Short mmCIF file of all heavy atoms in Angstrom, two decimals:
data_model
loop_
_atom_site.label_atom_id
_atom_site.label_comp_id
_atom_site.label_asym_id
_atom_site.label_seq_id
_atom_site.Cartn_x
_atom_site.Cartn_y
_atom_site.Cartn_z
N ALA A 110 109.03 77.38 94.81
CA ALA A 110 109.98 78.49 95.07
C ALA A 110 110.37 78.42 96.52
O ALA A 110 111.33 79.15 96.97
CB ALA A 110 109.39 79.80 94.77
N SER A 112 112.27 77.47 99.66
CA SER A 112 113.52 76.76 99.78
C SER A 112 113.97 76.80 101.33
O SER A 112 115.09 77.12 101.60
CB SER A 112 114.61 77.40 98.93
OG SER A 112 114.75 78.81 99.33
N GLU A 129 119.14 77.75 105.78
CA GLU A 129 118.93 77.75 104.35
C GLU A 129 118.62 76.25 103.94
O GLU A 129 118.95 75.36 104.64
CB GLU A 129 120.23 78.13 103.60
CG GLU A 129 120.50 79.65 103.80
CD GLU A 129 121.76 80.11 103.00
OE1 GLU A 129 122.84 79.61 103.42
OE2 GLU A 129 121.58 80.86 102.09
N GLY A 130 118.06 76.15 102.74
CA GLY A 130 117.64 74.89 102.18
C GLY A 130 118.84 74.07 101.74
O GLY A 130 119.98 74.56 101.72
N ASN A 131 118.58 72.80 101.33
CA ASN A 131 119.68 71.92 100.92
C ASN A 131 120.12 72.15 99.45
O ASN A 131 121.13 71.69 99.03
CB ASN A 131 119.36 70.46 101.07
CG ASN A 131 118.14 70.02 100.22
OD1 ASN A 131 117.20 70.90 100.07
ND2 ASN A 131 118.16 68.89 99.64
N ASN A 135 119.93 78.00 91.04
CA ASN A 135 120.40 78.94 89.93
C ASN A 135 119.21 79.94 89.75
O ASN A 135 118.23 79.51 89.16
CB ASN A 135 120.73 78.21 88.67
CG ASN A 135 121.29 79.04 87.61
OD1 ASN A 135 121.15 80.23 87.67
ND2 ASN A 135 122.07 78.49 86.73
N ASP A 145 107.52 70.97 87.12
CA ASP A 145 107.41 69.79 87.91
C ASP A 145 105.99 69.26 87.67
O ASP A 145 105.29 69.71 86.74
CB ASP A 145 107.67 70.03 89.45
CG ASP A 145 106.83 71.21 89.93
OD1 ASP A 145 105.86 71.56 89.21
OD2 ASP A 145 107.04 71.71 91.05
N SER A 251 86.59 77.99 65.17
CA SER A 251 87.56 79.08 65.45
C SER A 251 87.13 79.88 66.67
O SER A 251 87.89 80.30 67.52
CB SER A 251 87.73 79.93 64.22
OG SER A 251 86.65 80.84 64.05
N ALA A 280 105.95 92.80 99.17
CA ALA A 280 107.28 92.57 99.68
C ALA A 280 108.21 93.75 99.41
O ALA A 280 109.38 93.71 99.87
CB ALA A 280 107.86 91.34 98.97
N ASP A 283 110.16 95.33 102.40
CA ASP A 283 110.65 94.37 103.35
C ASP A 283 112.16 94.06 103.15
O ASP A 283 112.48 93.18 102.28
CB ASP A 283 109.85 93.10 103.30
CG ASP A 283 110.19 92.07 104.42
OD1 ASP A 283 111.16 92.39 105.22
OD2 ASP A 283 109.62 90.99 104.46
N ARG A 293 120.79 91.95 115.42
CA ARG A 293 122.17 92.03 115.86
C ARG A 293 122.29 92.90 117.05
O ARG A 293 123.11 92.64 117.97
CB ARG A 293 122.99 92.51 114.76
CG ARG A 293 124.47 92.55 114.94
CD ARG A 293 125.24 93.26 113.84
NE ARG A 293 124.81 94.59 113.56
CZ ARG A 293 125.26 95.37 112.62
NH1 ARG A 293 126.25 94.97 111.82
NH2 ARG A 293 124.78 96.58 112.48
N ASP A 294 121.60 94.01 117.09
CA ASP A 294 121.70 94.98 118.22
C ASP A 294 120.84 94.58 119.41
O ASP A 294 120.92 95.23 120.46
CB ASP A 294 121.41 96.38 117.73
CG ASP A 294 122.47 96.81 116.70
OD1 ASP A 294 123.58 96.21 116.74
OD2 ASP A 294 122.19 97.66 115.84
N HIS A 374 98.40 75.53 94.30
CA HIS A 374 98.67 75.79 95.69
C HIS A 374 98.30 74.62 96.57
O HIS A 374 99.09 74.23 97.46
CB HIS A 374 97.77 77.00 96.10
CG HIS A 374 97.99 77.47 97.53
ND1 HIS A 374 99.21 77.79 98.08
CD2 HIS A 374 97.07 77.52 98.60
CE1 HIS A 374 99.08 78.09 99.27
NE2 HIS A 374 97.86 77.92 99.67
N GLU A 377 101.01 72.02 96.06
CA GLU A 377 102.27 72.27 96.83
C GLU A 377 102.10 71.93 98.31
O GLU A 377 103.08 71.45 98.97
CB GLU A 377 102.66 73.78 96.65
CG GLU A 377 103.22 74.01 95.29
CD GLU A 377 103.80 75.46 95.28
OE1 GLU A 377 103.61 76.29 96.14
OE2 GLU A 377 104.54 75.74 94.24
N TYR B 73 131.20 92.13 114.46
CA TYR B 73 129.96 92.89 114.43
C TYR B 73 129.34 92.94 112.97
O TYR B 73 128.23 92.68 112.69
CB TYR B 73 130.11 94.27 115.03
CG TYR B 73 128.87 95.12 115.11
CD1 TYR B 73 127.92 94.92 116.05
CD2 TYR B 73 128.76 96.19 114.25
CE1 TYR B 73 126.77 95.68 116.08
CE2 TYR B 73 127.72 97.03 114.28
CZ TYR B 73 126.66 96.84 115.27
OH TYR B 73 125.56 97.63 115.30
N GLY B 74 130.29 93.23 112.11
CA GLY B 74 130.03 93.22 110.65
C GLY B 74 129.10 94.33 110.16
O GLY B 74 128.81 95.22 110.92
N ARG B 97 117.92 89.43 99.44
CA ARG B 97 118.02 90.89 99.49
C ARG B 97 119.17 91.38 100.38
O ARG B 97 119.48 92.59 100.33
CB ARG B 97 116.72 91.48 99.95
CG ARG B 97 115.63 91.39 98.98
CD ARG B 97 114.37 92.16 99.42
NE ARG B 97 113.43 92.18 98.38
CZ ARG B 97 112.24 92.76 98.51
NH1 ARG B 97 111.89 93.30 99.68
NH2 ARG B 97 111.37 92.74 97.51
N THR B 108 125.92 83.95 102.21
CA THR B 108 125.11 84.09 100.98
C THR B 108 124.06 85.12 101.12
O THR B 108 123.73 85.47 102.27
CB THR B 108 124.55 82.79 100.64
OG1 THR B 108 123.83 82.20 101.73
CG2 THR B 108 125.58 81.75 100.16
N GLN B 115 108.84 84.50 99.07
CA GLN B 115 108.69 83.11 99.29
C GLN B 115 107.47 82.70 100.10
O GLN B 115 106.88 81.62 100.07
CB GLN B 115 109.86 82.49 99.97
CG GLN B 115 111.02 82.22 98.97
CD GLN B 115 111.98 81.22 99.55
OE1 GLN B 115 112.10 81.02 100.69
NE2 GLN B 115 112.80 80.74 98.66
N SER B 119 103.51 79.98 95.90
CA SER B 119 102.69 79.46 94.81
C SER B 119 102.54 80.53 93.69
O SER B 119 102.40 80.15 92.57
CB SER B 119 101.26 79.19 95.30
OG SER B 119 101.26 78.38 96.45
N ARG B 122 105.59 80.92 90.93
CA ARG B 122 105.58 80.05 89.74
C ARG B 122 105.26 80.89 88.46
O ARG B 122 105.43 80.40 87.37
CB ARG B 122 104.64 78.99 89.88
CG ARG B 122 105.01 77.93 90.81
CD ARG B 122 103.99 76.78 90.87
NE ARG B 122 104.39 75.64 91.71
CZ ARG B 122 105.02 74.65 91.22
NH1 ARG B 122 105.30 74.51 89.95
NH2 ARG B 122 105.41 73.67 92.06
N ASP B 124 104.99 84.70 86.18
CA ASP B 124 105.58 85.92 85.98
C ASP B 124 104.89 87.04 86.60
O ASP B 124 103.62 86.99 86.75
CB ASP B 124 105.73 86.28 84.48
CG ASP B 124 106.81 85.37 83.76
OD1 ASP B 124 107.87 85.26 84.37
OD2 ASP B 124 106.44 85.00 82.67
N ARG B 125 105.54 88.12 87.01
CA ARG B 125 104.87 89.36 87.50
C ARG B 125 104.27 90.06 86.39
O ARG B 125 104.75 89.98 85.21
CB ARG B 125 105.93 90.30 88.06
CG ARG B 125 106.24 90.18 89.55
CD ARG B 125 107.25 91.12 89.99
NE ARG B 125 106.87 92.49 89.92
CZ ARG B 125 107.55 93.53 90.26
NH1 ARG B 125 108.81 93.37 90.71
NH2 ARG B 125 107.09 94.81 90.21
N GLY B 234 90.17 80.27 61.87
CA GLY B 234 90.18 79.38 63.10
C GLY B 234 91.45 78.59 63.19
O GLY B 234 92.02 78.54 64.24
N ARG B 268 123.90 71.94 98.83
CA ARG B 268 124.48 73.01 99.63
C ARG B 268 125.44 72.31 100.68
O ARG B 268 126.56 72.91 100.95
CB ARG B 268 123.47 73.78 100.38
CG ARG B 268 123.98 75.08 101.05
CD ARG B 268 122.86 75.81 101.79
NE ARG B 268 121.85 76.31 100.86
CZ ARG B 268 121.92 77.37 100.10
NH1 ARG B 268 123.04 78.06 100.17
NH2 ARG B 268 120.91 77.73 99.31
N ASP B 284 144.06 78.89 111.64
CA ASP B 284 142.93 79.04 112.48
C ASP B 284 143.18 80.25 113.42
O ASP B 284 143.93 80.13 114.38
CB ASP B 284 142.63 77.79 113.28
CG ASP B 284 141.41 77.79 114.14
OD1 ASP B 284 140.93 78.95 114.21
OD2 ASP B 284 140.95 76.86 114.58
N ARG B 289 147.31 76.98 119.25
CA ARG B 289 148.30 75.87 119.07
C ARG B 289 148.30 75.27 117.77
O ARG B 289 149.05 74.31 117.49
CB ARG B 289 147.88 74.76 120.06
CG ARG B 289 148.01 75.31 121.52
CD ARG B 289 147.95 74.18 122.48
NE ARG B 289 147.80 74.75 123.84
CZ ARG B 289 147.55 74.07 124.93
NH1 ARG B 289 147.21 72.76 124.82
NH2 ARG B 289 147.57 74.64 126.08
N GLN B 346 125.11 76.41 83.24
CA GLN B 346 123.74 76.02 83.17
C GLN B 346 122.86 77.10 82.42
O GLN B 346 122.00 76.79 81.63
CB GLN B 346 123.08 75.97 84.60
CG GLN B 346 123.23 74.63 85.30
CD GLN B 346 122.42 74.63 86.56
OE1 GLN B 346 122.10 75.64 87.15
NE2 GLN B 346 122.14 73.38 86.99
#
Side-chain angles (χ1 to χ4, degrees):
Chain A
S112 59
E129 293 179 294
N131 62 322
N135 186 339
D145 51 14
S251 75
D283 184 2
R293 183 185 57 180
D294 294 336
H374 180 59
E377 282 191 349
Chain B
Y73 180 75
R97 287 184 171 181
T108 50
Q115 277 200 344
S119 308
R122 286 178 175 268
D124 285 321
R125 269 178 67 178
R268 195 180 296 279
D284 182 346
R289 295 192 187 168
Q346 273 193 337

